[in-house]
Amino acid sequence: MNLSTTIAAKLVPGANLEDEDLSGQNLQGVNLAGAKLTGANLNRAALSGASLEGANLIGTQLEGADLRASLMGANLMQADLTEADLRGANLRGVNLMRSRLSKATFAGAFLSGANLMGVNLQGVDLRGADLRGANLSNANLHGANLQQADLQGALLNEANLEEADLQGANLAGANLAGANLLCAELENANFNGANFAGACVVGTVLDKG
Amino acid sequence: MLEGSILYQLKTAHQPGQVGKRSLNFGVYYKNTLVALCHALEDCILTASSKPLVIAAFQRGKWYLQEADRYAALAEKSEHVVIMAAPDTGFAEHPTSQRANVALVNLEPSDPVAQEWHLMILAPTYSAMVLCQELSAEDYGKSGLPQHDLERKFYGFWTFETNLVQETVELAIAHIHRYNPSLAQALTAQMQAISAQTHERDDLGAVVSRVVTYLQAGQADLNQIGQSDRLPLHQDILDSNLLSNEVQAFLRMAQLTDQADAINPHAAAEVAALAEAMGQLLDLPSWQLNRLKLAGLLHRLAPLQRTETVLSPVEFRYSEDASTAPSCPLVPGAQVVRTMPRMRAIATIITHQTEHWDGSGQPAGLAGDDIPLESRILGLATEFQQRVASLQAETRNQEEPLTTAECMAKALAECQQEQSKRWDPKLVDTLSLLVCGLQQGLSLSVNLPKISAGLWLIDSHCGDNLFGEVVEEFEVRG
């Protein structure tokens, strides 16, 4: 799809693209660092290789978007990322509170230090994701695939990890106080120094009967 | 987990490190799901071609009484039916309980088995099992005990694996021995008689179709229950538990094919990993990779893989009316997947994995780009994986067995010979690239995903129609 020249001219770092309709556009490799995209429509946009570092994406519609991009430090509060492709994306330190993440793909994404408090990540693909020090307190990770994920020092207190697949994951030093790990798969996971106080571990390898 | 429960004993026998025992992985099941699942597995007894031994644990006699009329019909078609439950009023008096081949075991209320929900069915041609334990009040945690009976929560697993069912039946008989030694003795004799028979299994596809159909009916019922009941119902949670079990039914069916194959027991996981890696090299979008992965895990459901050399295309082709759209024969395994409309794209992908690039393949004789891309990738990944596995098996006992890298090189060369004939030339190049990477140390993660959590594999694109409307007609007819 060709971008109209008026829009193309606006695609610069720090641009104000509030409420702009960019749905389905090919925006590969654009530099929109620090741009304001509040309320913009980027559904199904192709943004691979783009920079959205530090961008304001509060409430932005990104359904089905290809976001294999750098979003370091971006604010994605209340953004709609349903079925978005975030494989290998740089999401360090992003704020994803109250965002919609159903069926988004985060395999191999860098989410260290991200704020994912209370978000719904049910059944999401997080294989091999870097979640070191991420805040996942109260998050819903029911049935999520976290094989080989790095969750060192992550906050998972009160999180729902029921039936989550944590094979080979690193949970060293993670805070799992009050978490629900009912039937979670923990084979080959490392939980040295993890805090399981008040956590439910029924049906896992930690369940000694 | 309650010590002394049957689930606990089985889990202990399958701890990591136990020789010859696969460790079990458990899932969560709501009562709502268990009712539909057990009804489906039980009703398959009515059509099975041999009579099973059935052992069921109902917690309380009152739960059995709700099913007792159904159990009369099941007993008719069974060798023996054993009901374990803590007795309630009317438990022993029901006409089903009085039947000659129905035995009741009155569990002590303190018996851990009284907290379990089991259904074990063992026949020469049919085996299935549901093995669960209810959460304790403490295990429910901060959410507290459910208000609605259908939301009572259990954990455990279910399976079609005959050896596992038999192992569990033995544990159950040992437990029954404490209450009724002569019954235990009789059951042991029956179990031995059943396992001594070597019959081909009844069509598992019919069983899986029934399971999926009953679970889907359960989804439809949820709305009605939600509207008519005074108690609040967490419909979304119950719905996704049913959906998850529909996917599990297919994965468990595929698992049996792998387990029965001594030469290539990891085909599902390895083909899924290879196909996904090829898709990544082709830079396919993540939804397409998802579909490819799920189709890879289920690719062995389509039995054309094994029978194509036996059947000539002529006798295999099916055409009911030459004047209308082209038609293609039914591929039974793929038809089972079609029981679930949300998996339509997966069914199409595995149906056409045996097409050839030059149009000489089956089942529809599609050529070139008319063959769905995922089917082309899957077909090639499957062939390559099978060749590597059989080369490894063939040379294993030789003086100098081939290394994995050598097997891969040989298998790749064979695929290259059929480039542009059987295989899409672009994809053979992609495979070459992948093999090159693997030989240089790239490693693929081939962990089988957790079966009880298959939901992450399904998204809105798994139900897509890959052919558009015109061919849709032929798909339906086909």
Side-chain angles (χ1 to χ4, degrees), chain B residues 451-473:
Chain B
I451 288 193
S452 61
L455 264 193
W456 72 280
L457 290 161
I458 290 211
D459 62 24
S460 62
H461 294 281
C462 291
D464 286 356
N465 174 9
L466 298 186
F467 286 121
E469 278 172 35
V470 181
V471 196
E472 162 64 4
E473 202 180 318

Side-chain angles (χ1 to χ4, degrees), chain B residues 101-417:
Chain B
N101 68 339
V102 174
L104 303 185
V105 176
N106 294 339
L107 298 177
E108 306 272 352
S110 60
D111 188 333
V113 179
Q115 305 304 320
E116 297 194 292
W117 177 318
H118 302 321
L119 171 66
M120 303 162 210
I121 304 171
L122 185 67
T125 61
Y126 173 46
S127 54
M129 171 168 80
V130 177
L131 207 64
C132 282
Q133 185 166 126
E134 184 161 11
L135 290 193
S136 69
E138 187 194 329
D139 296 337
Y140 275 107
K142 61 172 191 270
S143 60
L145 288 165
Q147 282 184 279
H148 210 293
D149 186 54
L150 291 174
E151 290 182 355
R152 282 165 51 208
K153 222 165 158 177
F154 295 74
Y155 64 98
F157 72 107
W158 63 281
T159 187
F160 299 118
E161 295 160 273
T162 307
N163 50 357
L164 215 46
V165 178
Q166 194 179 322
E167 186 182 351
T168 315
V169 166
E170 284 171 24
L171 292 173
I173 292 175
H175 197 81
I176 291 166
H177 193 271
R178 292 186 226 165
Y179 291 92
N180 187 341
S182 61
L183 174 63
Q185 220 164 12
L187 293 173
T188 302
Q190 274 172 353
M191 189 197 67
Q192 283 166 349
I194 288 171
S195 49
Q197 298 180 49
T198 47
H199 285 284
E200 185 140 338
R201 220 190 153 97
D202 289 341
D203 174 27
L204 191 58
V207 178
V208 169
S209 284
R210 192 190 288 269
V211 168
V212 173
T213 306
Y214 283 33
L215 293 169
Q216 287 182 146
Q219 287 183 278
D221 289 346
L222 277 178
N223 275 327
Q224 226 180 346
I225 301 169
Q227 280 164 13
S228 61
D229 222 312
R230 284 174 299 110
L231 292 167
L233 194 69
H234 297 92
Q235 280 181 41
D236 50 336
I237 295 175
L238 296 182
D239 184 82
S240 71
N241 197 244
L242 288 162
L243 188 62
S244 156
N245 278 279
E246 290 159 27
V247 182
Q248 281 180 50
F250 299 121
L251 291 168
R252 293 186 192 284
M253 182 175 170
Q255 180 189 39
L256 281 198
T257 315
D258 265 7
Q259 286 179 359
D261 188 340
I263 289 170
N264 194 7
H266 305 295
E270 290 187 9
V271 167
L274 281 168
E276 187 183 12
M278 284 175 69
Q280 279 165 346
L281 287 174
L282 293 162
D283 200 25
L284 298 186
S286 56
W287 54 265
Q288 212 163 9
L289 291 175
N290 263 345
R291 268 193 338 210
L292 203 46
K293 193 159 48 202
L294 186 50
L297 291 170
L298 299 178
H299 80 279
R300 288 189 126 182
L301 293 187
L304 271 187
Q305 283 294 316
R306 279 169 289 139
T307 54
E308 61 177 334
T309 50
V310 186
L311 295 158
S312 79
V314 181
E315 63 179 324
F316 205 78
R317 193 155 302 278
Y318 164 93
S319 176
E320 86 187 17
D321 182 356
S323 66
T324 58
S327 57
C328 87
L330 293 166
V331 178
Q335 286 304 114
V336 177
V337 179
R338 281 183 221 281
T339 320
M340 191 171 166
R342 290 186 64 166
M343 301 265 276
R344 175 160 66 171
I346 308 299
T348 304
I349 293 166
I350 65 174
T351 297
H352 296 285
Q353 63 182 321
T354 42
E355 304 288 358
H356 291 183
W357 181 252
D358 64 8
S360 66
Q362 294 170 2
L366 298 177
D369 289 333
D370 286 346
I371 309 167
L373 174 63
E374 290 111 309
S375 301
R376 279 180 270 150
I377 297 173
L378 183 61
L380 182 56
T382 301
E383 175 69 15
F384 174 75
Q385 192 276 341
Q386 274 177 357
R387 285 305 299 145
V388 172
S390 58
L391 283 167
Q392 283 175 326
E394 280 164 27
T395 66
R396 189 167 296 143
N397 298 322
Q398 290 174 4
E399 219 163 282
E400 280 180 52
L402 292 178
T403 64
T404 306
E406 287 165 338
C407 291
M408 288 196 291
K410 236 177 141 177
L412 176 64
E414 286 171 17
C415 294
Q416 282 166 332
Q417 275 172 14

